[in-house]
Amino acid sequence: MTFFAFQSSFWKKLRQLRIKKGLTQQQLAEKLGYKSNNYVSDIETGYFIPLKEKLKKIAKALDVPFKVIEDMLLESRLEALGIKEPKLLSLFKDIPSLPEKDKRAIINAYLRVKRLLKFPSAG
């Protein structure tokens, strides 16, 4: 999965959350202080992923804890690496204080095992 796929995965999750909360793009944009829905539309189209401070405002506007948005970002990043197993996704969500280098080490080990299982002679 490419960086675009990561963005695509994230904006789809964000769009689903907005819809689940019963908001249109225009309503969310207004809650964020914008007059038009362009900002929300650009996010949901995958043009960009907002910075952390904007994501916090989006979480507040959607009336969800920021952790929900962080988890969506994390899931999207892991899915971009080909990691879709619920138990592994849950592991990363449950231990947010795990240092980044340790997370990367776990991901790299997982990907190596996955490659070895797929192509046993590549080891």
Side-chain angles (χ1 to χ4, degrees), residues 19-32:
I19 291 169
K20 180 179 176 185
K21 291 293 184 169
L23 295 174
T24 63
Q25 285 183 345
Q26 182 64 39
Q27 289 168 324
L28 178 57
E30 289 171 5
K31 283 183 164 224
L32 295 170

Side-chain angles (χ1 to χ4, degrees), residues 10 21 29 32 78 82 100 103 108:
F10 175 72
K21 291 293 184 169
L32 295 170
L78 293 173
E100 188 67 28
K103 287 180 184 179
N108 289 336

Side-chain angles (χ1 to χ4, degrees), residues 41-123:
S41 177
D42 286 351
I43 295 168
E44 291 186 2
T45 308
Y47 285 123
F48 68 96
I49 293 176
L51 298 174
K52 188 174 185 176
E53 290 309 311
K54 285 286 187 182
L55 289 172
K56 286 181 179 181
K57 289 180 181 180
I58 290 170
K60 185 174 181 176
L62 291 171
D63 195 30
V64 297
F66 179 61
K67 175 139 177 48
V68 169
I69 303 293
E70 283 182 312
D71 285 350
M72 289 170 30
L73 276 169
L74 177 61
E75 275 184 30
S76 298
R77 287 183 183 126
L78 293 173
E79 288 170 2
L81 293 170
I83 299 171
K84 296 180 183 172
E85 288 78 5
K87 288 182 181 179
L88 195 55
L89 291 173
S90 179
L91 169 74
F92 280 95
K93 286 182 192 176
D94 292 342
I95 49 174
S97 62
L98 187 68
E100 188 67 28
K101 70 176 191 149
D102 293 342
K103 287 180 184 179
R104 290 194 185 283
I106 292 169
I107 290 169
N108 289 336
Y110 169 82
L111 293 173
R112 181 164 168 72
V113 167
K114 192 172 179 179
R115 272 192 309 275
L116 289 173
L117 290 174
K118 189 173 184 179
F119 304 106
S121 62

Side-chain angles (χ1 to χ4, degrees), residues 26-40:
Q26 182 64 39
Q27 289 168 324
L28 178 57
E30 289 171 5
K31 283 183 164 224
L32 295 170
Y34 297 100
K35 292 184 180 183
S36 80
N37 71 327
N38 290 346
Y39 181 77
V40 175

